[in-house]
Amino acid sequence: MKIHEYQAKQIMRNYNIPVPKGGVADTADAARDVAAGMGGNVFVVKAQVHAGGRGKGGGIKTAKTPAEAGTLAKAMIGSKLVTPQTGAEGKTVNKVLVEEGVDIAHEIYLGIAVDRANECPVIIASSEGGMDIETLAKTSPEKIIKEKVDFSVGLRAFQLGKIAFALNLDAALRKQATQIISALYKLFVEKDCSLAEINPLVITKGGQMIALDAKLNFDDNGLYRHKDVVEMRDIQEEEPLEVEASKHNLNYIKLDGNVGCMVNGAGLAMATMDVIKLAGGEPANFLDVGGGATTEMVKNAMRILVSDPKVKAVFINIFGGILRCDTLAKGLVEAIAEVEVKFPLVIRMEGTNVEIGRKILKESGLKLIVAATMKEAAAKVIAEVRH
Amino acid sequence: MSIIIDEKTRLIVQGITGNEGLFHTRQMVEYGTKIVGGVTPGKGGQSVDNIPVFNTVAAAAKETGANTSVIFVPPAFSADAVMEAADAGLKTIVCMTEGIPTLDMMQVKLYLKGKNINLVGPNTPGIISPGKCKIGVMAGYIHKQGSIGLISRSGTLTYEAVDFLTKNGFGQSTCIGIGGDPIIGLNFVDLLALFEKDRQTKAVVLIGEIGGTQEEEAAEFHKKRMKKPVVAFIAGKTAPPGRRMGHAGAIISGGSGTAAQKIKTLEKAGIPVVDYPELIPGELKKILRK
């Protein structure tokens, strides 16, 4: 799960990580008031959307007066922000974060992530902050510091020292850096993060370290023990069909193509998208109805697919294991009959009792195109789309 | 032979009185798996289909001489369940649970270090040595005993592959789902090593997907330490970056873990990668004829 920058900064503030003074606003007036309340003569207005690269898309702007901050906020709120990460259609800005301006002397990168291969958290730092870490990893990997944490003993003082010295910081800054890194690690572990990132962590001209940006992603599997984090979920940031699907425990991800698919099992669902592409089509979605593919799940899934205006035809790919194909076919027929479907359905079913299953599909009275293999089904569904 | 489980496996089911646990206990017994006990705290002394239920894994292991456990308990209790099984001296632990927090799995892996335990999963369909023993939720009857080893990160995609193998005359030595989570027990490399030593296994099918670097490590291992042929399929060529594709571990992050990269690395290591799962048997025929 993702949260906004202003929410990440709230959490960081609770862990004594210094962040700029500021407040969130959803109207121009509120933005102006936040700026006026802080005082000063430089304000930064930052669009709050779940996407990076906001600066490049015009989502981060500076103002000299509270009135100007209000004007900038007015232009941003309600507009679509297009950044390198949002795709061409952009994301609607509903809130802005208004902060005091900071005199930047130097920018550092600091992040904590899960090192899957070593099965531990890893601290990532670089004295070249500001740019995204993936680009830096490609252009100058030698400038990236990685420190693995032995999870049985946690992050140790010597490791903090290693990172701080590698960042070439003087004594006063080392002290601040170690405090911030150890606080961020504590936050990462206590909140079940999958990523905790401060980019940039800036050193001000006055010699203070401060988290200018903040990003926290959470392990979905850990959310059950963090009600406070779950409350920060902003469903306006999510694709409405994905929100709807998640209510029914469906694994659904909307994509840009027009060939819908519905599959039992995540691996098979990915493989189905791949064969659609391989056969010359574009998948409209990833959709896993669960290994069992119960009638209820299929019904809900069909409703989601019907709600996507881009979908021109659907490829249903089901493997019958414990639930054999005859049972699955009956469930499918019942679900499809109940949901009004206007596009062609190509069904490929495989597994135990497949002949009986296919017979039930063919004799259902529904307009179903039955295919024997994934390749054949992909070709048929694409032919329907081009029809 | 086969790997990890066979006719000598004596299994206990943690969470035997739950819906899932009970349903699959019956399915496993029907297949011929020797289930010697179950564990549900507070229900010790009861029995399920004549299988004795114990309060703790330690008691179950002591009374029944079990050597293996399968876990059907909710995510919040699963990390503890794995550690309890390890503490009781069980040498193979199959954890079915989907949804265990990543940080909990880090602790589990540390706890298992040095104990010489085979952990399968979590978030796995399980493991089966056809004709001998089935532990998990796969349909037993699609399998046939034979000489192909199968390792996969997925569930239904694995059943697909097994079904194609069986229908094309390729029986299996052991089929194992390693789990769809970012941090798991036995990985591709561990299992390739076991299959390489297993006399029943002549070739291995590897089914991978996006996320992590396991496929790349498998390619490296195959190139340096393996003589038996491997055929692979990789799911997720069209998966968008940064999105979790059903499995918690199936995510392309920071530009790494893409299917294209994995396919390239596997092919470079001499492992053919097929475009459709249904092409696996054909590729095996080609390789085994050589």
Side-chain angles (χ1 to χ4, degrees):
Chain A
M1 191 189 115
K2 292 178 177 178
I3 59 173
H4 288 294
E5 175 196 6
Y6 79 91
Q7 296 166 318
K9 282 178 170 168
Q10 271 170 20
I11 297 176
M12 287 189 185
R13 203 176 274 126
N14 295 340
Y15 280 82
N16 292 319
I17 295 170
V19 297
K21 263 195 282 182
V24 70
D26 54 9
T27 64
D29 288 351
R32 189 195 60 220
D33 293 347
V34 170
M38 285 189 296
N41 50 22
V42 185
F43 307 97
V44 185
V45 182
K46 306 176 85 176
Q48 298 297 289
V49 291
H50 288 182
R54 288 171 302 168
K56 287 172 196 151
I60 300 177
K61 290 194 165 153
T62 55
K64 292 200 173 67
T65 64
E68 195 189 342
T71 311
L72 290 175
K74 192 174 183 184
M76 272 186 211
I77 293 169
S79 74
K80 290 255 184 191
L81 181 66
V82 180
T83 86
Q85 290 181 22
T86 58
E89 70 271 34
K91 279 201 154 173
T92 304
V93 181
N94 296 304
K95 289 189 176 91
V96 295
L97 173 63
V98 183
E99 288 187 334
E100 60 177 354
V102 173
D103 266 339
I104 301 168
H106 185 67
E107 301 188 6
I108 288 171
Y109 173 91
L110 176 64
I112 305 180
V114 172
D115 180 338
R116 286 172 66 158
N118 292 294
E119 302 175 336
C120 66
V122 58
I123 317 283
I124 305 160
S126 174
S127 56
E128 310 264 315
M131 61 200 280
D132 87 90
I133 195 73
E134 285 131 37
T135 314
L136 189 65
K138 276 184 203 126
T139 54
S140 10
E142 75 287 352
K143 286 181 182 149
I144 295 177
I145 304 156
K146 280 191 179 174
E147 188 68 25
K148 285 177 276 183
V149 181
D150 180 332
F151 203 55
S152 58
V153 295
L155 180 61
R156 308 300 298 183
F158 78 89
Q159 296 182 291
L160 294 167
K162 270 170 82 180
I163 300 165
F165 279 108
L167 286 170
N168 280 320
L169 302 172
D170 66 27
L173 287 169
R174 281 201 303 275
K175 198 175 163 201
Q176 293 182 56
T178 53
Q179 186 264 324
I180 290 171
I181 299 167
S182 77
L184 191 65
Y185 178 75
K186 189 164 186 272
L187 186 167
F188 180 89
V189 173
E190 288 182 356
K191 298 288 182 195
D192 279 284
C193 291
S194 55
L195 176 73
E197 190 181 68
I198 302 176
N199 186 27
L201 173 64
V202 304
I203 301 167
T204 65
K205 287 182 180 151
Q208 294 300 309
M209 261 189 189
I210 188 162
L212 201 62
D213 198 359
K215 181 174 173 183
L216 295 177
N217 294 350
F218 300 90
D219 173 8
D220 290 350
N221 290 351
L223 287 175
Y224 74 88
R225 51 193 178 201
H226 303 292
K227 292 218 167 59
D228 55 334
V229 172
V230 174
E231 278 169 17
M232 290 183 169
R233 181 176 173 195
D234 180 358
I235 59 167
Q236 284 187 305
E237 285 294 318
E238 298 171 30
E239 162 62 41
L241 283 177
E242 291 181 13
V243 174
E244 185 59 27
S246 72
K247 285 183 199 154
H248 303 291
N249 291 318
L250 290 164
N251 268 317
Y252 170 84
I253 293 173
K254 194 173 172 337
L255 302 168
D256 288 333
N258 55 13
V259 183
C261 45
M262 186 181 99
V263 188
N264 66 336
L268 190 58
M270 271 189 272
T272 305
M273 285 163 44
D274 294 350
V275 301
I276 290 169
K277 178 90 177 179
L278 204 61
E282 285 293 335
N285 62 276
F286 166 90
L287 175 53
D288 166 18
V289 293
T294 61
T295 309
E296 200 52 38
M297 291 291 259
V298 171
K299 262 186 226 168
N300 291 328
M302 288 310 298
R303 289 194 188 106
I304 299 284
L305 292 175
V306 167
S307 312
D308 179 354
K310 277 193 182 168
V311 170
K312 297 273 180 285
V314 168
F315 178 169
I316 300 177
N317 194 6
I318 301 283
F319 185 87
I322 293 247
L323 278 176
R324 301 167 198 222
C325 290
D326 45 341
T327 315
L328 285 170
K330 279 181 205 147
L332 269 177
V333 168
E334 193 188 320
I336 294 165
E338 201 169 301
V339 182
E340 205 179 317
V341 181
K342 293 203 182 87
F343 39 64
L345 296 170
V346 177
I347 303 188
R348 178 264 178 183
M349 184 177 254
E350 194 50 81
T352 310
N353 291 353
V354 65
E355 290 78 15
I356 313 175
R358 285 185 191 147
K359 200 165 162 240
I360 292 170
L361 294 176
K362 280 178 184 156
E363 292 170 0
S364 65
L366 296 169
K367 265 198 242 155
L368 303 173
I369 302 161
V370 180
T373 66
M374 280 171 76
K375 200 173 179 176
E376 184 192 331
K380 281 187 168 166
V381 76
I382 286 156
E384 287 300 323
V385 165
R386 288 183 181 153
H387 211 35
Chain B
M1 297 249 298
S2 50
I3 66 167
I4 305 171
I5 62 166
D6 55 27
E7 55 273 52
K8 284 179 223 131
T9 297
R10 294 173 65 79
L11 182 71
I12 61 164
V13 180
Q14 289 174 254
I16 193 167
T17 54
N19 275 340
E20 284 272 294
L22 185 56
F23 176 78
H24 289 292
T25 293
R26 288 178 175 150
Q27 296 270 326
M28 288 187 277
V29 168
E30 195 182 305
Y31 191 76
T33 304
K34 289 189 192 79
I35 300 187
V36 296
V39 178
T40 300
K43 295 199 176 167
Q46 301 180 9
S47 69
V48 167
D49 296 354
N50 291 322
I51 300 164
V53 179
F54 300 87
N55 285 319
T56 65
V57 182
K62 192 168 166 238
E63 294 297 319
T64 64
N67 55 14
T68 303
S69 167
V70 62
I71 295 171
F72 285 96
V73 309
F77 311 106
S78 290
D80 206 57
V82 175
M83 294 192 227
E84 189 185 356
D87 172 70
L90 302 179
K91 287 300 168 199
T92 296
I93 303 166
V94 182
C95 184
M96 311 301 299
T97 317
E98 176 170 11
I100 304 178
T102 303
L103 294 181
D104 289 11
M105 276 312 297
M106 287 182 189
Q107 288 183 321
V108 167
K109 292 300 297 282
L110 286 167
Y111 188 80
L112 298 186
K113 222 174 208 174
K115 291 194 172 74
N116 196 24
I117 285 168
N118 290 320
L119 171 65
V120 178
N123 192 6
T124 169
I127 171 169
I128 181 168
S129 293
K132 298 169 186 167
C133 182
K134 161 188 137 149
I135 302 176
V137 300
M138 69 290 277
Y141 41 73
I142 60 173
H143 299 78
K144 198 178 90 183
Q145 197 168 331
S147 61
I148 305 297
L150 190 147
I151 330 170
S152 170
R153 287 172 65 189
S154 162
T156 40
L157 189 53
T158 312
Y159 312 157
E160 280 270 353
V162 167
D163 198 50
F164 288 129
L165 288 175
T166 300
K167 284 178 180 162
N168 285 280
F170 288 106
Q172 307 93 41
S173 51
T174 301
C175 302
I176 173 167
I178 60 173
D181 281 357
I183 296 183
I184 53 168
L186 295 171
N187 60 29
F188 280 151
V189 169
D190 298 329
L191 292 160
L192 286 177
L194 290 175
F195 278 129
E196 177 73 2
K197 277 191 284 186
D198 176 44
R199 263 185 277 157
Q200 186 183 333
T201 305
K202 300 266 183 291
V204 181
V205 173
L206 182 150
I207 298 174
E209 63 190 28
I210 54 162
T213 52
Q214 275 205 63
E215 290 78 3
E216 286 85 341
E217 285 148 25
E220 176 83 10
F221 178 85
H222 180 261
K223 201 161 113 191
K224 291 192 173 148
R225 309 251 203 97
M226 223 179 146
K227 290 201 176 72
K228 291 179 186 173
V230 177
V231 172
F233 175 81
I234 304 294
K237 286 185 274 246
T238 48
R243 300 301 307 267
R244 165 170 149 162
M245 305 302 283
H247 299 147
I251 180 165
I252 298 168
S253 50
S256 80
T258 63
Q261 181 61 41
K262 290 174 188 296
I263 292 168
K264 203 173 122 195
T265 313
L266 287 164
E267 284 180 338
K268 242 183 167 173
I271 299 175
V273 183
V274 295
D275 279 336
Y276 296 87
E278 52 221 38
L279 299 179
I280 292 169
E283 196 62 38
L284 276 174
K285 267 178 208 152
K286 236 194 277 173
I287 284 188
L288 290 172
R289 221 183 287 135
K290 276 181 195 164

